[in-house]
């Protein structure tokens, strides 16, 4: 009886750990959109489409990446940035405090010094 | 049965204590730039929030452009508080050490060169010389504010038991301990001619700051000439240097910030000479305009670079 309990508990723990480990890894690449430092939403980049944001920006997801299609900000730096590239800088709209970055960077470095203007 | 229940409780405790030790990242705008703070370990969320609030406090104190800041008040005759006056004293010390290649008293010159406006243009010789020789000069701590912020956050986070964190304060990188996977952090050095975020070299390190200065970050062009935002305090004009960028690696965050600007202004020959007498304080990576790289021996073993590089020995 006792042994059976232990086997059950052991199996349950293994299952739980595997599930937790696999859960965030499922799906394709993801990007995080944050406004004024707070994550607003996570984009699944495998699902093409346009996403209008409350702040006035419209995002376009295509070919596994994302860009700002249009935005009613004064400088349009975010629109001119183009697509989010691997190892490249996040898309930033200073006037709207909007940042779009990869959920997990795979460039092999933890950060790049001197990268920001 | 009792034993069994206790075992289950212990197991659950193990699982949930694992959940508590996690990572939190906050990204926000402060000191006119984007900043992000990532902290691992228990209480990560509270620590990133503390860090963000501390940065706002420092920005409110050190922004020379803001009429409500303590530095603005100091520039207009008020007595500075203890923290500000200590920082001003340190900035003057850096100025002396570097023979004024770094100098905080250049606020008027920066305004003259349009540092604070989008529509910059070359000022006349007379106005530059007037600002250069003015009896009363105003202090700008923009050259060390981010470095000082890193120093403050390092002290605060370490005091709160944080053993792994990375701060990206507008391109100034500071790390605490090792990265969450238990290895040294790897920091790329921005490739001046590449896209933002691309790098020409990387350094592996723990518990240090990496600060890069380069004319590629901010500049304006007039009549085909490029004017970078880093001024040579002695000439009052944009630095004439053989460098594309100067990177300082040091355990002293504020010093790293001041010296990266200073070494960029000095150029590679004077920078190498300066390092010989200050090698215990910092290491550097210099990228010259001809595409060659000079790195000091203290970090040579942890340095990797796609370009040909030379190691400077003591």
């Amino acid at each position: 009886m006792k042994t059976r309990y232990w086997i059950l508990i052991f199996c349950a723990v293994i299952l739980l750990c595997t599930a937790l480990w696999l859960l965030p890894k499922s799906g394709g690449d993801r990007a995080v959109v944050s406004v004024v430092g707070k994550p607003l939403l996570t984009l699944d980049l495998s699902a093409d489409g346009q996403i209008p944001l409350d702040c006035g920006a419209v995002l376009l997801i295509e070919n596994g990446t994302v860009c700002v299609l249009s935005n009613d900000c004064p400088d349009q730096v975010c629109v001119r940035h183009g697509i989010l590239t691997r190892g490249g800088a996040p898309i930033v709209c200073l006037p709207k405090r909007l940042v779009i970055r990869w959920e997990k960077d795979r460039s092999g470095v933890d950060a790049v010094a001197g990268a920001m203007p | 049965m009792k034993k069994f229940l206790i075992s289950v409780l212990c197991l659950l405790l193990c699982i949930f204590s694992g959940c508590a030790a996690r990572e939190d990242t906050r990204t926000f705008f402060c000191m006119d730039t984007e900043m992000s703070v990532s902290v691992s370990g228990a209480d990560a969320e509270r620590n990133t929030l503390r860090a963000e609030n501390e940065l706002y406090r420092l920005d409110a104190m050190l922004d020379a452009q803001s009429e409500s800041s303590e530095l603005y008040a100091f520039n207009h005759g008020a007595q500075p508080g203890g923290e500000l006056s200590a920082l001003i004293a340190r900035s003057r010390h850096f100025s002396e050490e570097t023979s004024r290649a770094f100098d905080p008293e250049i606020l008027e010159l920066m305004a003259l060169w349009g540092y604070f406006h989008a529509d910059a243009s070359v000022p006349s010789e007379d106005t530059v010389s007037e600002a250069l020789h003015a009896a009363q000069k105003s202090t700008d701590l923009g050259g060390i504010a981010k470095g000082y912020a890193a120093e403050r956050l390092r002290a605060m986070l370490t005091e709160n038991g944080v053993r792994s964190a990375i701060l990206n304060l507008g391109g100034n990188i500071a790390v605490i301990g090792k990265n969450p996977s238990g290895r040294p952090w790897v920091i790329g050095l921005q490739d001046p001619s590449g896209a933002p975020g691309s790098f020409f070299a990387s350094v592996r390190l723990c518990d240090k700051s990496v600060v890069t200065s380069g004319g590629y970050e901010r500049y304006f062009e007039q009549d085909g000439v490029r004017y970078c935002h880093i001024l040579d305090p002695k000439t009052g004009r944009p630095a004439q240097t053989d460098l594309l960028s100067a990177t300082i690696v040091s355990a002293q965050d504020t010093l790293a910030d001041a010296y990266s600007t200073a070494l960029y202004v000095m150029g590679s020959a004077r920078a190498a000479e300066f390092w010989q007498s200050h090698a215990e304080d910092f290491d550097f990576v210099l990228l010259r305009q001809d595409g060659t790289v000079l790195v000091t021996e203290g970090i040579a073993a942890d340095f990797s670079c796609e370009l040909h590089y030379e190691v400077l020995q003591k």
Side-chain angles (χ1 to χ4, degrees):
Chain A
M1 191 63 188
K2 242 182 179 175
T3 333
R4 228 173 89 192
Y5 269 128
W6 277 113
I7 291 172
L8 267 172
I9 290 168
F10 189 71
C11 288
V13 168
I14 295 281
L15 260 169
L16 194 73
C17 290
T18 322
L20 283 176
W21 187 59
L22 284 176
L23 213 58
K25 290 193 175 175
S26 58
D29 283 332
R30 286 138 72 98
V32 178
V33 179
S34 46
V35 177
V36 200
K38 290 194 185 70
L40 183 72
L41 67 144
T42 304
L43 306 171
D44 178 0
L45 300 181
S46 58
D48 289 2
Q50 290 187 15
I51 297 174
L53 301 177
D54 285 345
C55 68
V58 180
L59 311 181
L60 173 68
I61 300 178
E62 214 175 46
N63 303 323
T65 183
V66 62
C67 67
V68 178
L69 191 63
S70 65
N71 196 351
D72 55 2
C73 61
D75 61 8
Q76 298 288 300
V77 168
C78 54
V79 178
R80 285 201 301 272
H81 182 108
I83 60 166
L84 193 63
T85 53
R86 272 288 163 222
I91 301 174
V92 174
C93 176
L94 272 166
K96 290 194 183 274
R97 309 292 205 227
L98 171 75
V99 180
I100 304 160
R101 62 170 77 253
W102 294 103
E103 188 174 46
K104 205 88 186 167
D105 209 340
R106 293 176 195 163
S107 55
V109 295
D110 295 300
V112 176
M116 263 170 267
Chain B
M1 194 59 191
K2 212 173 177 183
K3 247 188 193 166
F4 165 73
L5 272 175
I6 290 171
S7 321
V8 171
L9 276 174
C10 283
L11 257 172
L12 284 174
L13 205 69
C14 288
I15 293 168
F16 286 109
S17 63
C19 289
R22 56 178 161 183
E23 211 177 316
D24 187 54
T25 301
R26 289 183 81 83
T27 306
F28 45 89
F29 290 84
C30 186
M31 299 185 178
D32 286 329
T33 185
E34 192 198 337
M35 299 190 163
S36 81
V37 176
S38 292
V39 175
S40 302
D43 259 356
E45 281 164 37
R46 201 187 307 172
N47 281 318
T48 52
L49 187 63
R50 276 188 190 129
E52 183 178 350
N53 288 333
E54 174 67 1
L55 285 165
Y56 291 142
R57 183 187 75 82
L58 292 171
D59 190 20
M61 174 170 73
L62 302 174
D63 183 357
Q65 293 298 297
S66 158
E67 291 181 17
S68 59
S69 78
E70 201 184 335
L71 182 57
Y72 184 93
F74 167 72
N75 280 331
H76 290 79
Q79 261 316 309
E83 187 178 11
L84 181 61
S85 99
L87 191 59
I88 291 169
R90 281 172 75 186
S91 75
R92 286 181 181 153
H93 171 72
F94 291 136
S95 175
E96 276 164 36
E97 282 289 304
T98 60
S99 317
R100 289 191 63 225
F102 168 85
D103 193 332
E105 294 181 340
I106 53 164
L107 192 63
E108 285 82 5
L109 280 169
M110 289 166 72
L112 212 51
W113 283 93
Y115 187 90
F116 308 111
H117 310 285
D119 52 336
S121 63
V122 179
S124 73
E125 290 281 348
D126 289 350
T127 50
V128 170
S129 140
E130 205 176 296
L132 202 55
H133 300 107
Q136 192 68 40
K137 291 184 196 169
S138 301
T139 299
D140 180 80
L141 294 176
I144 56 167
K146 288 188 284 179
Y148 179 65
E151 179 184 315
R152 289 279 315 147
L153 295 194
R154 181 188 298 285
M156 190 184 85
L157 293 172
T158 314
E159 212 167 275
N160 284 308
V162 171
R163 284 156 65 180
S164 172
I166 183 164
L167 318 173
N168 186 341
L169 310 184
N172 282 25
I173 313 292
V175 301
I176 295 176
K178 293 176 175 171
N179 79 10
S181 55
R183 287 187 289 270
W185 299 92
V186 183
I187 308 302
L189 309 185
Q190 174 66 39
D191 175 1
S193 53
S198 59
F199 47 93
F200 72 96
S202 63
V203 195
R204 283 180 297 136
L205 49 99
C206 306
D207 297 308
K208 280 184 179 162
S209 251
V210 184
V211 183
T212 298
S213 284
Y216 66 90
E217 289 166 9
R218 286 186 201 182
Y219 60 86
F220 70 94
E221 276 170 13
Q222 188 175 319
D223 306 324
V225 183
R226 185 183 276 204
Y227 298 91
C228 77
H229 83 276
I230 299 176
L231 297 176
D232 183 336
K234 282 189 201 152
T235 64
R237 305 181 60 82
Q240 299 282 322
T241 176
D242 65 333
L243 298 175
L244 280 173
S245 76
T247 300
I248 305 292
V249 176
S250 172
Q252 302 172 54
D253 309 286
T254 313
L255 176 142
D257 205 3
Y259 283 8
S260 72
T261 315
L263 265 64
Y264 179 80
V265 169
M266 287 177 188
S268 61
R270 272 183 62 207
E273 208 177 292
F274 181 73
W275 177 76
Q276 294 291 353
S277 54
H278 294 78
E280 69 284 0
D281 287 330
F282 71 96
D283 279 288
F284 70 58
V285 180
L286 303 180
L287 174 59
R288 296 191 191 98
Q289 282 173 355
D290 62 9
T292 57
V293 175
L294 186 62
V295 55
T296 53
E297 64 175 347
I299 50 168
D302 297 309
F303 181 73
S304 56
C305 183
E306 38 191 66
L307 302 166
H308 173 75
Y309 66 91
E310 202 185 318
V311 178
L312 182 64
Q313 313 277 350
K314 265 197 87 171

